[in-house]
Short mmCIF file of all heavy atoms in Angstrom, two decimals:
data_model
loop_
_atom_site.label_atom_id
_atom_site.label_comp_id
_atom_site.label_asym_id
_atom_site.label_seq_id
_atom_site.Cartn_x
_atom_site.Cartn_y
_atom_site.Cartn_z
N GLU A 1 0.80 -1.20 -0.01
CA GLU A 1 0.00 -0.01 -0.01
C GLU A 1 0.87 1.23 0.00
O GLU A 1 0.96 1.98 0.99
CB GLU A 1 -0.91 0.01 1.20
CG GLU A 1 -1.94 -1.12 1.20
CD GLU A 1 -2.98 -0.90 0.13
OE1 GLU A 1 -3.42 0.24 -0.08
OE2 GLU A 1 -3.37 -1.88 -0.50
N LEU A 2 1.49 1.54 -1.11
CA LEU A 2 2.30 2.74 -1.23
C LEU A 2 1.44 3.83 -1.84
O LEU A 2 0.74 3.59 -2.85
CB LEU A 2 3.56 2.54 -2.10
CG LEU A 2 4.55 1.52 -1.59
CD1 LEU A 2 5.67 1.31 -2.64
CD2 LEU A 2 5.14 1.94 -0.27
N ARG A 3 1.46 5.03 -1.25
CA ARG A 3 0.82 6.21 -1.83
C ARG A 3 1.83 6.85 -2.78
O ARG A 3 3.00 6.88 -2.48
CB ARG A 3 0.39 7.19 -0.72
CG ARG A 3 -0.47 6.60 0.34
CD ARG A 3 -1.90 6.88 0.03
NE ARG A 3 -2.78 6.43 1.11
CZ ARG A 3 -3.62 7.18 1.72
NH1 ARG A 3 -3.73 8.51 1.50
NH2 ARG A 3 -4.40 6.68 2.64
N SER A 4 1.36 7.37 -3.86
CA SER A 4 2.31 7.88 -4.88
C SER A 4 1.96 9.28 -5.40
O SER A 4 0.77 9.63 -5.50
CB SER A 4 2.36 6.88 -6.06
OG SER A 4 1.13 6.82 -6.69
N GLY A 5 2.98 9.99 -5.71
CA GLY A 5 2.88 11.30 -6.35
C GLY A 5 3.86 11.38 -7.50
O GLY A 5 4.90 10.66 -7.46
N SER A 6 3.59 12.20 -8.46
CA SER A 6 4.51 12.34 -9.59
C SER A 6 4.56 13.75 -10.08
O SER A 6 3.64 14.54 -9.89
CB SER A 6 4.12 11.41 -10.73
OG SER A 6 2.83 11.78 -11.28
N VAL A 7 5.71 14.12 -10.67
CA VAL A 7 5.88 15.38 -11.43
C VAL A 7 6.61 15.04 -12.69
O VAL A 7 7.36 14.11 -12.77
CB VAL A 7 6.66 16.43 -10.63
CG1 VAL A 7 5.93 16.95 -9.42
CG2 VAL A 7 8.04 15.91 -10.23
N SER A 8 6.27 15.80 -13.76
CA SER A 8 6.95 15.67 -15.03
C SER A 8 7.99 16.71 -15.19
O SER A 8 7.81 17.85 -14.71
CB SER A 8 5.96 15.77 -16.22
OG SER A 8 5.03 14.67 -16.13
N ILE A 9 9.06 16.38 -15.87
CA ILE A 9 10.12 17.34 -16.24
C ILE A 9 10.13 17.32 -17.76
O ILE A 9 10.18 16.28 -18.38
CB ILE A 9 11.49 16.91 -15.69
CG1 ILE A 9 11.43 16.87 -14.16
CG2 ILE A 9 12.56 17.87 -16.15
CD1 ILE A 9 12.68 16.34 -13.53
N GLU A 10 10.09 18.50 -18.33
CA GLU A 10 10.07 18.61 -19.80
C GLU A 10 11.09 19.62 -20.23
O GLU A 10 11.22 20.70 -19.62
CB GLU A 10 8.66 18.98 -20.28
CG GLU A 10 7.66 17.96 -19.93
CD GLU A 10 6.41 17.99 -20.72
OE1 GLU A 10 6.39 18.67 -21.78
OE2 GLU A 10 5.43 17.28 -20.37
N GLY A 11 11.79 19.26 -21.29
CA GLY A 11 12.87 20.13 -21.87
C GLY A 11 13.73 19.28 -22.76
O GLY A 11 13.17 18.40 -23.48
N ASP A 12 15.02 19.51 -22.76
CA ASP A 12 15.85 18.65 -23.58
C ASP A 12 15.85 17.21 -23.10
O ASP A 12 16.06 16.26 -23.86
CB ASP A 12 17.34 19.17 -23.52
CG ASP A 12 17.48 20.45 -24.31
OD1 ASP A 12 16.67 20.73 -25.17
OD2 ASP A 12 18.46 21.19 -24.06
N TRP A 13 15.58 17.04 -21.78
CA TRP A 13 15.33 15.68 -21.25
C TRP A 13 13.92 15.70 -20.75
O TRP A 13 13.48 16.62 -20.07
CB TRP A 13 16.29 15.32 -20.13
CG TRP A 13 16.02 13.93 -19.55
CD1 TRP A 13 16.46 12.79 -20.07
CD2 TRP A 13 15.18 13.63 -18.41
NE1 TRP A 13 15.99 11.72 -19.29
CE2 TRP A 13 15.17 12.23 -18.30
CE3 TRP A 13 14.43 14.37 -17.51
CZ2 TRP A 13 14.49 11.56 -17.31
CZ3 TRP A 13 13.69 13.70 -16.52
CH2 TRP A 13 13.78 12.34 -16.41
N THR A 14 13.13 14.67 -21.06
CA THR A 14 11.75 14.63 -20.61
C THR A 14 11.53 13.29 -19.84
O THR A 14 11.91 12.20 -20.35
CB THR A 14 10.77 14.65 -21.85
OG1 THR A 14 11.01 15.90 -22.54
CG2 THR A 14 9.35 14.61 -21.43
N GLY A 15 10.92 13.44 -18.70
CA GLY A 15 10.63 12.28 -17.92
C GLY A 15 9.71 12.57 -16.75
O GLY A 15 9.13 13.66 -16.63
N THR A 16 9.60 11.60 -15.88
CA THR A 16 8.69 11.71 -14.69
C THR A 16 9.41 11.27 -13.48
O THR A 16 10.15 10.31 -13.48
CB THR A 16 7.43 10.82 -14.92
OG1 THR A 16 6.80 11.19 -16.16
CG2 THR A 16 6.43 10.97 -13.79
N VAL A 17 9.19 11.93 -12.35
CA VAL A 17 9.69 11.55 -11.07
C VAL A 17 8.53 11.08 -10.26
O VAL A 17 7.50 11.79 -10.15
CB VAL A 17 10.39 12.77 -10.38
CG1 VAL A 17 10.84 12.39 -8.98
CG2 VAL A 17 11.57 13.25 -11.22
N VAL A 18 8.68 9.91 -9.68
CA VAL A 18 7.61 9.33 -8.84
C VAL A 18 8.14 9.09 -7.43
O VAL A 18 9.20 8.49 -7.27
CB VAL A 18 7.07 8.02 -9.43
CG1 VAL A 18 5.97 7.42 -8.54
CG2 VAL A 18 6.56 8.18 -10.85
N VAL A 19 7.39 9.57 -6.42
CA VAL A 19 7.72 9.37 -5.00
C VAL A 19 6.59 8.51 -4.44
O VAL A 19 5.40 8.86 -4.58
CB VAL A 19 7.92 10.68 -4.25
CG1 VAL A 19 8.14 10.37 -2.75
CG2 VAL A 19 9.04 11.46 -4.84
N GLU A 20 6.99 7.39 -3.82
CA GLU A 20 5.96 6.51 -3.18
C GLU A 20 6.31 6.35 -1.72
O GLU A 20 7.53 6.18 -1.41
CB GLU A 20 5.90 5.18 -3.87
CG GLU A 20 5.56 5.27 -5.36
CD GLU A 20 5.74 3.92 -6.03
OE1 GLU A 20 6.93 3.63 -6.40
OE2 GLU A 20 4.73 3.20 -6.20
N ALA A 21 5.36 6.29 -0.84
CA ALA A 21 5.61 6.09 0.56
C ALA A 21 4.45 5.32 1.22
O ALA A 21 3.27 5.49 0.81
CB ALA A 21 5.77 7.42 1.24
N GLU A 22 4.81 4.52 2.19
CA GLU A 22 3.78 3.82 2.97
C GLU A 22 3.02 4.85 3.77
O GLU A 22 3.54 5.94 4.13
CB GLU A 22 4.38 2.79 3.90
CG GLU A 22 4.84 1.55 3.17
CD GLU A 22 5.33 0.44 4.07
OE1 GLU A 22 6.19 0.73 4.91
OE2 GLU A 22 4.88 -0.67 3.87
N LEU A 23 1.81 4.54 4.12
CA LEU A 23 0.89 5.48 4.80
C LEU A 23 1.52 6.02 6.11
O LEU A 23 1.41 7.22 6.37
CB LEU A 23 -0.46 4.84 5.09
CG LEU A 23 -1.48 5.65 5.78
CD1 LEU A 23 -1.80 6.91 5.02
CD2 LEU A 23 -2.72 4.85 6.05
N GLU A 24 2.09 5.18 6.93
CA GLU A 24 2.63 5.66 8.21
C GLU A 24 3.78 6.61 7.99
O GLU A 24 3.95 7.59 8.78
CB GLU A 24 3.04 4.46 9.13
CG GLU A 24 1.84 3.75 9.70
CD GLU A 24 0.83 4.64 10.39
OE1 GLU A 24 1.25 5.48 11.19
OE2 GLU A 24 -0.35 4.56 10.08
N SER A 25 4.58 6.36 7.01
CA SER A 25 5.66 7.28 6.65
C SER A 25 5.13 8.62 6.24
O SER A 25 5.52 9.70 6.71
CB SER A 25 6.54 6.70 5.58
OG SER A 25 7.53 7.63 5.13
N LEU A 26 4.15 8.61 5.33
CA LEU A 26 3.52 9.80 4.84
C LEU A 26 2.83 10.56 5.99
O LEU A 26 2.93 11.78 6.09
CB LEU A 26 2.55 9.47 3.75
CG LEU A 26 1.86 10.63 3.07
CD1 LEU A 26 2.83 11.64 2.51
CD2 LEU A 26 0.94 10.12 1.95
N ARG A 27 2.16 9.83 6.85
CA ARG A 27 1.49 10.47 7.98
C ARG A 27 2.49 11.22 8.86
O ARG A 27 2.21 12.35 9.31
CB ARG A 27 0.72 9.41 8.79
CG ARG A 27 -0.16 10.01 9.85
CD ARG A 27 -1.02 8.96 10.49
NE ARG A 27 -2.16 8.70 9.62
CZ ARG A 27 -2.57 7.45 9.28
NH1 ARG A 27 -1.94 6.38 9.72
NH2 ARG A 27 -3.58 7.28 8.48
N ALA A 28 3.62 10.62 9.16
CA ALA A 28 4.64 11.24 10.00
C ALA A 28 5.19 12.51 9.31
O ALA A 28 5.39 13.55 9.96
CB ALA A 28 5.79 10.26 10.30
N LEU A 29 5.43 12.44 8.02
CA LEU A 29 5.94 13.59 7.29
C LEU A 29 4.93 14.74 7.27
O LEU A 29 5.26 15.91 7.45
CB LEU A 29 6.32 13.17 5.86
CG LEU A 29 7.49 12.19 5.81
CD1 LEU A 29 7.58 11.68 4.35
CD2 LEU A 29 8.80 12.80 6.22
N ALA A 30 3.65 14.36 7.08
CA ALA A 30 2.57 15.34 7.03
C ALA A 30 2.42 16.04 8.39
O ALA A 30 2.20 17.27 8.49
CB ALA A 30 1.23 14.75 6.56
N ARG A 31 2.53 15.24 9.47
CA ARG A 31 2.40 15.87 10.81
C ARG A 31 3.53 16.88 11.01
O ARG A 31 3.29 17.95 11.63
CB ARG A 31 2.46 14.76 11.90
CG ARG A 31 1.20 13.97 12.00
CD ARG A 31 1.14 13.16 13.29
NE ARG A 31 2.21 12.23 13.42
CZ ARG A 31 2.16 10.92 13.15
NH1 ARG A 31 1.03 10.34 12.78
NH2 ARG A 31 3.21 10.11 13.29
N CYS A 32 4.72 16.58 10.52
CA CYS A 32 5.84 17.51 10.63
C CYS A 32 5.52 18.78 9.81
O CYS A 32 5.73 19.88 10.25
CB CYS A 32 7.12 16.85 10.18
SG CYS A 32 8.53 17.98 10.17
N MET A 33 5.08 18.56 8.56
CA MET A 33 4.85 19.72 7.66
C MET A 33 3.77 20.63 8.18
O MET A 33 3.90 21.83 8.07
CB MET A 33 4.48 19.19 6.28
CG MET A 33 5.61 18.55 5.53
SD MET A 33 5.09 17.85 3.95
CE MET A 33 5.13 19.35 2.97
N PHE A 34 2.69 20.03 8.71
CA PHE A 34 1.57 20.88 9.17
C PHE A 34 1.62 21.18 10.67
O PHE A 34 0.73 21.85 11.17
CB PHE A 34 0.26 20.17 8.83
CG PHE A 34 0.02 20.10 7.31
CD1 PHE A 34 0.19 18.91 6.64
CD2 PHE A 34 -0.33 21.20 6.63
CE1 PHE A 34 -0.03 18.85 5.26
CE2 PHE A 34 -0.54 21.18 5.25
CZ PHE A 34 -0.36 20.00 4.55
N GLU A 35 2.61 20.65 11.33
CA GLU A 35 2.80 20.88 12.79
C GLU A 35 1.51 20.57 13.57
O GLU A 35 1.05 21.34 14.39
CB GLU A 35 3.28 22.29 13.04
CG GLU A 35 4.63 22.56 12.42
CD GLU A 35 5.11 23.99 12.62
OE1 GLU A 35 4.33 24.86 13.03
OE2 GLU A 35 6.27 24.22 12.43
N GLU A 36 0.95 19.40 13.25
CA GLU A 36 -0.28 18.95 13.88
C GLU A 36 -0.09 17.52 14.37
O GLU A 36 0.57 16.75 13.72
CB GLU A 36 -1.47 19.07 12.98
CG GLU A 36 -1.79 20.49 12.56
CD GLU A 36 -3.02 20.63 11.66
OE1 GLU A 36 -3.78 19.66 11.58
OE2 GLU A 36 -3.19 21.68 11.10
N ALA A 37 -0.79 17.18 15.44
CA ALA A 37 -0.71 15.80 15.95
C ALA A 37 -1.45 14.82 15.09
O ALA A 37 -1.06 13.66 14.97
CB ALA A 37 -1.34 15.74 17.38
N GLU A 38 -2.53 15.26 14.45
CA GLU A 38 -3.32 14.40 13.53
C GLU A 38 -3.48 15.13 12.23
O GLU A 38 -3.65 16.35 12.22
CB GLU A 38 -4.64 14.08 14.17
CG GLU A 38 -4.58 13.23 15.41
CD GLU A 38 -3.96 11.86 15.19
OE1 GLU A 38 -4.18 11.25 14.12
OE2 GLU A 38 -3.16 11.41 16.05
N VAL A 39 -3.47 14.36 11.17
CA VAL A 39 -3.67 14.97 9.78
C VAL A 39 -4.78 14.20 9.09
O VAL A 39 -4.98 12.99 9.35
CB VAL A 39 -2.38 14.91 8.96
CG1 VAL A 39 -1.39 15.91 9.56
CG2 VAL A 39 -1.79 13.49 8.91
N ASP A 40 -5.51 14.89 8.21
CA ASP A 40 -6.58 14.24 7.46
C ASP A 40 -6.11 13.86 6.10
O ASP A 40 -4.97 14.12 5.71
CB ASP A 40 -7.82 15.15 7.45
CG ASP A 40 -7.61 16.48 6.72
OD1 ASP A 40 -6.69 16.60 5.87
OD2 ASP A 40 -8.37 17.44 7.03
N GLU A 41 -6.98 13.26 5.33
CA GLU A 41 -6.62 12.73 4.01
C GLU A 41 -6.16 13.86 3.05
O GLU A 41 -5.21 13.68 2.31
CB GLU A 41 -7.85 12.03 3.39
CG GLU A 41 -7.56 11.31 2.10
CD GLU A 41 -6.51 10.17 2.26
OE1 GLU A 41 -6.50 9.52 3.28
OE2 GLU A 41 -5.78 9.95 1.25
N SER A 42 -6.79 15.03 3.09
CA SER A 42 -6.37 16.10 2.21
C SER A 42 -4.97 16.56 2.56
O SER A 42 -4.15 16.96 1.70
CB SER A 42 -7.36 17.24 2.18
OG SER A 42 -7.36 17.95 3.44
N GLN A 43 -4.61 16.60 3.88
CA GLN A 43 -3.28 16.99 4.30
C GLN A 43 -2.25 15.93 3.87
O GLN A 43 -1.13 16.29 3.51
CB GLN A 43 -3.23 17.20 5.79
CG GLN A 43 -3.98 18.46 6.21
CD GLN A 43 -4.13 18.55 7.72
OE1 GLN A 43 -4.58 17.61 8.39
NE2 GLN A 43 -3.74 19.65 8.28
N LEU A 44 -2.68 14.64 3.91
CA LEU A 44 -1.74 13.64 3.42
C LEU A 44 -1.44 13.81 1.97
O LEU A 44 -0.29 13.74 1.54
CB LEU A 44 -2.37 12.19 3.63
CG LEU A 44 -2.45 11.72 5.11
CD1 LEU A 44 -3.25 10.42 5.12
CD2 LEU A 44 -1.05 11.55 5.72
N GLU A 45 -2.48 14.12 1.17
CA GLU A 45 -2.28 14.32 -0.26
C GLU A 45 -1.44 15.59 -0.53
O GLU A 45 -0.54 15.63 -1.38
CB GLU A 45 -3.61 14.47 -0.99
CG GLU A 45 -4.31 13.12 -1.11
CD GLU A 45 -5.63 13.20 -1.87
OE1 GLU A 45 -5.94 14.24 -2.42
OE2 GLU A 45 -6.35 12.19 -1.86
N ASP A 46 -1.68 16.65 0.25
CA ASP A 46 -0.94 17.90 0.09
C ASP A 46 0.53 17.65 0.46
O ASP A 46 1.45 18.18 -0.23
CB ASP A 46 -1.48 19.00 0.96
CG ASP A 46 -2.79 19.56 0.49
OD1 ASP A 46 -3.19 19.26 -0.69
OD2 ASP A 46 -3.47 20.30 1.24
N ALA A 47 0.77 16.91 1.52
CA ALA A 47 2.17 16.62 1.92
C ALA A 47 2.88 15.82 0.84
O ALA A 47 4.02 16.15 0.49
CB ALA A 47 2.16 15.84 3.28
#
């Protein structure tokens, strides 16, 4: 159950960067980013 995000890079080199993380990892990162003890689904996606 990895959550995933991607960004594209376009120019002389074209490709995609994908970052995937397990939910608990993402939850810990989101709590740090938002400085909150609990985060909701939209905050997980934003993080």
Side-chain angles (χ1 to χ4, degrees):
E1 294 291 320
L2 296 176
R3 303 265 183 124
S4 63
S6 65
V7 292
S8 295
I9 299 173
E10 299 200 12
D12 289 339
W13 179 85
T14 300
T16 305
V17 175
V18 180
V19 176
E20 300 171 280
E22 285 186 310
L23 179 60
E24 287 308 310
S25 175
L26 183 55
R27 187 173 283 131
L29 295 169
R31 286 193 302 258
C32 176
M33 290 176 83
F34 293 105
E35 299 179 345
E36 295 184 15
E38 294 299 321
V39 290
D40 61 26
E41 188 63 32
S42 69
Q43 290 171 308
L44 290 173
E45 288 182 9
D46 288 347

